[in-house]
Amino acid sequence: MDVASPIVLDKIRITDVIAHPLTQNLPNPTVTSWGTYSQVSIVLVEVRTDQGLVGVGETLARFAPKAYAELIETLLKPRLVGQDARDIRGLWQQMRRALSGRAGGMLIEAIAGVDIALWDILGKAANMPIAKLLGSMGRDRIDVYAAAVNWIEDDAADRELERFIADGFPRIKVKVAKPVRDACRRIERLRKRAGDRVELCVDANWAYNLEEAVEVSKALAANGYFWFEEPLAPEDEDGYEALRARSEVPIAAGESNFTVDQAQRLIANRTLSYVQPDVARSGGISETMRIAQYANVHNIGYAPHIGMSGIVCETASVHLAAAMPNFRLLECECDGSPFKTDLADLKPGCLRQKDGTLDVPDKPGLGIEIDWQAVARLRTA
C-alpha cells in the first residue's frame, strides 16, 4: 500500500457529480427463473472535489440507466456540490430527503452510487483502504462461492458446474426455477456430479409459492445444500417465516432490500440465516454496513450479493466483507461481464480467486483505477 501521508485538509469540497450510464452485452447470458439476461446496465458515478480527489461508485440500474443518470445529476447533484465530501452520513440524509415516501427504488439505488464514491474519496484522503476505515477484522482474504450454474439444459448445466470445479471453487451456486419437479431433479443431479467435494447452494429468484418452496427445500436437505436463496417474493415475509418453520435448509435473502428497516423483521426473528444486501442497491456502503451490523447483533451471517453488477460494486463488497464481523461468503459472479473485466485495472474476483478465497485490495479507497476509455466504449447509446 502507498505509504504517503494522509491528506490533511480543512474541507474537501464536492465540485461535480457525473453519472455515466453504461450498457453491456453479456458474453454468457444469465438464465434464471425471471428469464434470460443478455444485456444489462449500470451507472458509474464519478464524484470530483476541489482537492483533486475523485471517487467512483456504482448504481444498480440494470435497465433504463439514462433515467438513473438523470436522477443523479438533476436531483442529487445540487444537494452535493459545495458540500464536504467527508460528511458522508449527513450527505446520505440530505439525498434521502430528495423524495418523500418510503425509502426504496431508484432513489436509494442512485444514492448507493454516490455513497460508494464518497467512501472512495475518504479512503484516498486518509490514505487507507475502505476496509480499514470501516474497522477491519484483519482479513486479507475472504471466502467466495462461484455464481452460478444457470437454469439451462442438463448437459449445459453439467458443463458449467464442471468448469467451476476445474477453476478451483469449493462452493457453487445453482439457479433453479419451475417446474418444481425439474428443480428437484436438477438439485439431485448436480449433487451427484459434484460429489461431497463441493458445497452447493441454490438461488430461486422468487420462483415459488410457499408450498412449492417447501417441496424444493426437501430436495435441498436430502442433497446437503447449504442455503436456499430467495425462494419467495421479498414482500412475502409471512411466507418466509412459515417456510423457515418447515425447512431444514438455512434461508438466505436480502438482495431486494433497500434499507435496514426493510431487512429488520426477518433478521430480528431469525427467519434468515444469511442476509444478502447488494451495496449498489442498498444505499451504498453506509446503509449496507448498517444492515450487516444489525444482522450481527442477531447472530445472522452477512453474505454480500453482487449478481450482474460491475467491478466497483464487487470491490466495495469485498471491503465490506473484510470489515464486517459476521461475514460468511461473498458471491463471485463468473459471467465474463465487461463491467468486471474492462472497467478498471483490477481483475474481477472470478479471475483472482484461488481455492475459493479472494484477496482484499490494500490501496487507498476502493483500490482501483477506472479505465475511462472503457467507460466511453460502454456508454449507453
Side-chain angles (χ1 to χ4, degrees):
M1 189 178 77
D2 184 0
V3 294
S5 300
I7 299 173
V8 181
L9 299 168
D10 180 50
K11 300 284 186 181
I12 303 177
R13 297 289 187 187
I14 297 171
T15 58
D16 205 356
V17 179
I18 306 169
H20 304 273
L22 308 179
T23 300
Q24 66 172 350
N25 294 312
L26 288 170
N28 299 298
T30 295
V31 186
T32 76
S33 63
W34 281 81
T36 299
Y37 293 83
S38 299
Q39 184 181 83
V40 292
S41 299
I42 60 172
V43 172
L44 185 74
V45 180
E46 180 187 1
V47 177
R48 298 178 180 177
T49 71
D50 63 349
Q51 303 299 329
L53 295 172
V54 177
V56 293
E58 181 178 330
T59 288
L60 191 153
R62 287 178 180 158
F63 307 104
K66 289 183 177 180
Y68 282 87
E70 182 177 357
L71 187 151
I72 291 167
E73 293 190 347
T74 62
L75 190 65
L76 301 185
K77 175 180 173 178
R79 289 166 168 80
L80 297 167
V81 170
Q83 301 293 319
D84 190 335
R86 297 171 298 185
D87 295 337
I88 298 176
R89 190 183 302 273
L91 294 175
W92 203 102
Q93 292 296 327
Q94 289 184 45
M95 290 188 287
R96 165 65 186 94
R97 291 178 64 84
L99 294 176
S100 62
R102 186 173 182 178
M106 290 179 66
L107 176 63
I108 303 301
E109 292 175 344
I111 289 172
V114 175
D115 182 87
I116 295 168
L118 293 175
W119 279 99
D120 190 26
I121 290 169
L122 187 61
K124 290 173 179 175
N127 197 43
M128 294 172 63
I130 290 172
K132 295 295 184 184
L133 288 178
L134 298 179
S136 173
M137 293 292 293
R139 304 182 183 114
D140 57 11
R141 299 194 70 82
I142 58 172
D143 291 334
V144 300
Y145 65 91
V149 175
N150 286 288
W151 182 245
I152 49 183
E153 295 296 326
D154 282 346
D155 288 346
D158 292 346
R159 289 193 293 272
E160 288 191 343
L161 177 75
E162 289 160 3
R163 175 169 63 87
F164 294 147
I165 293 172
D167 287 342
F169 282 101
R171 309 167 204 91
I172 300 170
K173 178 188 286 185
V174 176
K175 296 286 188 177
V176 294
K178 290 182 180 180
V180 168
R181 180 177 62 182
D182 290 348
C184 293
R185 288 175 176 169
R186 172 65 54 82
I187 288 163
E188 182 178 6
R189 177 188 181 94
L190 294 187
R191 168 50 69 203
K192 287 180 178 177
R193 295 193 72 87
D196 295 333
R197 58 188 167 146
V198 174
E199 297 180 76
L200 298 175
C201 64
V202 143
D203 184 0
N205 296 105
W206 322 355
Y208 306 121
N209 63 33
L210 175 58
E211 295 307 320
E212 291 167 338
V214 170
E215 194 64 26
V216 173
S217 75
K218 292 177 182 177
L220 294 171
N223 288 279
Y225 281 62
F226 65 83
W227 78 41
F228 193 1
E229 180 176 337
E230 277 207 315
L232 308 173
E235 298 87 356
D236 188 9
E237 293 184 330
D238 289 341
Y240 271 96
E241 291 173 358
L243 177 61
R244 183 68 188 92
R246 298 171 64 182
S247 173
E248 297 179 8
V249 180
I251 298 173
E255 70 179 79
S256 299
N257 293 330
F258 295 95
T259 52
V260 68
D261 63 291
Q262 295 174 14
Q264 184 173 358
R265 174 177 168 181
L266 298 186
I267 290 173
N269 63 22
R270 291 174 167 80
T271 293
L272 301 182
S273 295
Y274 305 92
V275 67
Q276 302 173 294
D278 187 311
V279 72
R281 164 173 282 157
S282 298
I285 289 171
S286 297
E287 190 69 8
T288 303
M289 178 168 54
R290 292 182 67 209
I291 295 171
Q293 289 172 332
Y294 185 76
N296 185 54
V297 171
H298 295 85
N299 200 29
I300 304 301
Y302 166 54
H305 174 266
I306 293 173
M308 295 178 285
S309 297
I311 191 66
V312 174
C313 171
E314 180 180 89
T315 307
S317 300
V318 171
H319 284 286
L320 280 160
M324 295 300 101
N326 55 332
F327 167 72
R328 298 293 184 269
L329 291 171
L330 174 75
E331 181 173 34
C332 199
E333 183 66 44
C334 303
D335 56 10
S337 156
F339 289 163
K340 295 187 181 73
T341 60
D342 295 1
L343 274 183
D345 60 343
L346 184 70
K347 291 182 179 179
C350 61
L351 300 179
R352 295 187 354 253
Q353 72 86 28
K354 183 177 181 181
D355 298 327
T357 69
L358 181 62
D359 61 295
V360 179
D362 64 356
K363 296 179 181 178
L366 288 168
I368 62 176
E369 294 293 333
I370 296 298
D371 183 338
W372 294 105
Q373 290 184 343
V375 171
R377 187 172 66 251
L378 292 167
R379 191 171 183 88
T380 304

